Amino acid sequence: MSKEKAPAPEKDHASSSAAVSDSAQDQSPAKGNLNEIVSSHVERAARLIHLPEEIALILGQPKNEIIVNFPVKMDNGTYKMFKGYRVQHNNILGPYKGGIRFHQDVTLDECKGLASAMTWKSALHDIPFGGGKGGVKFDPTQHSKTEIERITRRFTHALASSVGPEYDIPAPDVGTNGQIMAWFMDTYMNIVGALDKNAMRRVVTGKSINSGGSLGREAATGQGTVHCIVEWARDHRFDLTGKTVAIQGFGNVGSFTAKILSKLGVSLVATGDYKGYIHNPEGLNSHKLAEHVKRTGSVVDYKHAKPISRDEFFALECDILVPAALELEIGEKEARAIKAKVIAEGANGPTYPEADAILNERGISVLPDILVNSGGVTVSYYEWLQNKRSERWEEEEVLGRLERAMKRTYAHVRDFAYERKLDFRTAAYAIGLERIQKAYADRGIWP
Ligand code: NAD
């Protein structure tokens, strides 16, 4: 299955399992407000396309903000209360669509920012979906599989009257995966009428294949990220063979990006996660590293690498940097330190506007999240269509459609940016916003 170009032999740099730098986690920028930052991108794009004031007013707030509190029985027989969110930003182009996050730092504001980013992402790619996002505030690493199943099922039950296959369609995000989507789907199916059951499979996407998921969905966000890197390289006459990548976050997006890049001869030299960062200038085998993460839950202690600090990670010599962890990780300090030539935003909202300005000044290309990480929502749309039509598409068909979609949108953003002398982020937001503006212009605002 793997066609990974074998990196130069991994040297065993690890000195001890306790060698993770103490400073690995304490230096990320103090987190700002993602919702305000996304709004500032929208405002810039709105000025550019002369968005009518009343449309800006509508788009400035999500349509619905749902907060639920629900009890769950723990394995030891005690009960705990959990807080869950679902924000539905806009649905003028189609049903609300966006991930469900399981993380201890989930907040309403974070969901608002991520939900609105989903609106612009779907619109940019001309996918007939709107924008939504949700999550449950807890640390999944502190719970057993059975507890996570019960949390997922109770959350689904609490949200059931607010989501639906033609209304709001969740998907995986940080801390969730195909198994969690299968539990979400199964719970939802059992709540609705028995005759409708099977028609309800598409209430979520990113499901495991056995539960009606699409071939190609699990790797889709990483695959889309790589398509954008390839397009950027083509435009800049930058031969990717023999080049290096550093990836922050080695979960779904980070690990698939690394594996797919390795097939193009790009070697992963550093990565990191919530526990710490690792480096091997000779290259890390992303498949073996993914197995290590599956076994241990983290990249740290991988024996073919040496631990480095978060600061060292961002200052590393490398050609490509892929943030694929959480939002707001690249601030002014990181922007000054980064040596990569291009940053491909696999994560949602990883870069502060102040950092954008510094990177721009330093001639480092930034490929924005709503362009780069849209492979996920694109193949989620394909999964939804397959469920609706009771079809199963071949993997080649899914991947072929994804490649054409990513390349088309990349070219659109690039041409729009070059013609108007804009950065790619502003161009991407402007294209999405314009599509939404046209829908409002045709339909008007009821009543
Ligand atoms: P994941 O849970 O599979 O992986 C997240 C990774 O980030 C893990 O390696 C985790 O340890 C790491 N991480 C968490 N906190 C960190 C910290 N403080 N410092 C460094 N690393 C940290 O999640 P994912 O699905 O890969 O999502 C990653 C990013 O990509 C998120 O921003 C998500 O919104 C975005 N995204 C995901 C998809 C998708 O299809 N999964 C689609 C579009 C965008």
Side-chain angles (χ1 to χ4, degrees):
M1 184 194 92
S2 149
K3 284 193 232 134
E4 182 174 20
K5 174 181 168 281
E10 288 175 327
K11 297 194 177 78
D12 191 347
H13 295 283
S15 45
S16 87
S17 62
V20 181
S21 163
D22 287 343
S23 57
Q25 287 310 300
D26 55 11
Q27 294 156 338
S28 49
K31 294 276 167 164
N33 185 313
L34 180 69
N35 189 33
E36 286 170 11
I37 290 171
V38 173
S39 299
S40 73
H41 300 324
V42 179
E43 281 161 22
R44 210 167 47 251
R47 282 195 295 277
L48 192 82
I49 65 158
H50 307 292
L51 185 76
E53 215 167 291
E54 65 275 15
I55 311 292
L57 203 65
I58 294 170
L59 295 172
Q61 290 294 332
K63 285 205 175 175
N64 304 309
E65 301 169 27
I66 301 156
I67 303 181
V68 294
N69 294 295
F70 54 93
V72 179
K73 190 176 189 173
M74 298 291 100
D75 292 341
N76 65 7
T78 62
Y79 282 83
K80 250 173 109 168
M81 286 300 289
F82 289 82
K83 190 178 280 293
Y85 303 89
R86 185 71 184 169
V87 172
Q88 297 166 333
H89 178 260
N90 188 273
N91 62 348
I92 190 153
L93 297 181
Y96 301 109
K97 184 85 189 84
I100 295 276
R101 182 173 287 199
F102 285 175
H103 194 274
Q104 60 276 18
D105 295 336
V106 168
T107 63
L108 181 63
D109 255 0
E110 179 189 83
C111 292
K112 283 166 78 171
L114 292 168
S116 109
M118 283 304 296
T119 298
W120 319 119
K121 196 185 297 183
S122 300
L124 165 65
H125 289 265
D126 212 5
I127 294 169
F129 282 148
K133 203 82 182 190
V136 182
K137 191 179 182 62
F138 79 106
D139 181 355
T141 65
Q142 301 304 310
H143 289 270
S144 66
K145 190 172 174 188
T146 49
E147 287 178 352
I148 292 175
E149 177 176 352
R150 288 196 293 276
I151 293 166
T152 305
R153 289 186 184 279
R154 279 304 302 236
F155 180 51
T156 309
H157 180 264
L159 268 194
S161 56
S162 309
V163 296
E166 304 295 338
Y167 183 69
D168 184 0
I169 308 146
D173 191 73
V174 174
T176 56
N177 56 23
Q179 169 66 77
I180 287 168
M181 292 305 112
W183 288 328
F184 193 112
M185 177 197 78
D186 182 72
T187 310
Y188 186 82
M189 276 177 156
N190 280 294
I191 289 171
V192 298
L195 289 177
D196 298 341
K197 257 188 174 184
N198 265 320
M200 297 300 156
R201 282 191 309 173
R202 61 186 195 281
V203 67
V204 282
T205 57
K207 301 179 285 288
S208 54
I209 302 295
N210 293 334
S211 306
S214 174
L215 295 167
R217 173 60 183 90
E218 199 186 6
T221 309
Q223 181 68 71
T225 301
V226 174
H227 285 313
C228 289
I229 293 169
V230 167
E231 291 309 287
W232 175 88
R234 197 194 316 277
D235 283 348
H236 289 78
R237 296 194 169 79
F238 186 82
D239 183 4
L240 287 172
T241 318
K243 297 296 189 296
T244 56
V245 63
I247 302 183
Q248 187 197 29
F250 205 74
N252 173 281
V253 180
S255 65
F256 279 106
T257 301
K259 288 179 198 172
I260 299 166
L261 275 176
S262 73
K263 293 184 195 166
L264 304 178
V266 179
S267 140
L268 174 71
V269 288
T271 185
D273 61 22
Y274 76 109
K275 275 195 164 170
Y277 292 81
I278 59 169
H279 177 219
N280 181 344
E282 305 296 329
L284 294 152
N285 183 314
S286 46
H287 293 272
K288 286 188 182 157
L289 181 57
E291 282 163 23
H292 172 84
V293 172
K294 206 170 174 185
R295 268 196 321 275
T296 68
S298 168
V299 298
V300 303
D301 293 342
Y302 184 59
K303 65 179 180 173
H304 303 292
K306 81 175 165 50
I308 53 171
S309 70
R310 184 182 181 281
D311 281 358
E312 286 168 327
F313 171 84
F314 278 106
L316 268 185
E317 289 291 347
C318 63
D319 299 298
I320 305 161
L321 175 67
V322 180
L326 299 179
E327 59 274 5
L328 303 178
E329 285 290 321
I330 302 179
E332 293 182 38
K333 181 182 71 173
E334 290 77 11
R336 288 207 178 83
I338 288 168
K339 301 210 174 54
K341 292 159 193 73
V342 59
I343 299 174
E345 292 183 340
N348 282 308
T351 312
Y352 280 89
E354 299 78 7
D356 258 341
I358 294 168
L359 293 164
N360 193 21
E361 208 176 278
R362 295 187 56 218
I364 296 172
S365 303
V366 180
L367 307 180
D369 50 3
I370 63 167
L371 169 64
V372 170
N373 69 28
S374 54
V377 69
T378 303
V379 178
S380 274
Y381 173 52
Y382 302 157
E383 178 177 332
W384 185 79
L385 281 181
Q386 289 171 71
N387 290 166
K388 200 172 163 99
R389 300 173 183 172
S390 294
E391 290 177 357
R392 164 88 76 204
W393 299 355
E394 302 278 335
E395 189 166 15
E396 294 77 55
E397 180 172 357
V398 173
L399 296 181
R401 283 177 185 243
L402 174 64
E403 181 171 359
R404 288 192 294 281
M406 293 302 304
K407 288 184 171 172
R408 191 171 54 235
T409 307
Y410 186 96
H412 193 173
V413 171
R414 178 199 55 212
D415 296 348
F416 193 99
Y418 286 173
E419 275 162 26
R420 294 168 180 77
K421 297 191 171 35
L422 298 169
D423 59 277
F424 274 32
R425 192 185 310 284
T426 309
Y429 270 85
I431 294 167
L433 201 51
E434 208 158 38
R435 285 214 172 98
I436 288 178
Q437 177 193 357
K438 284 179 181 161
Y440 274 108
D442 282 359
R443 287 170 54 167
I445 297 163
W446 186 86

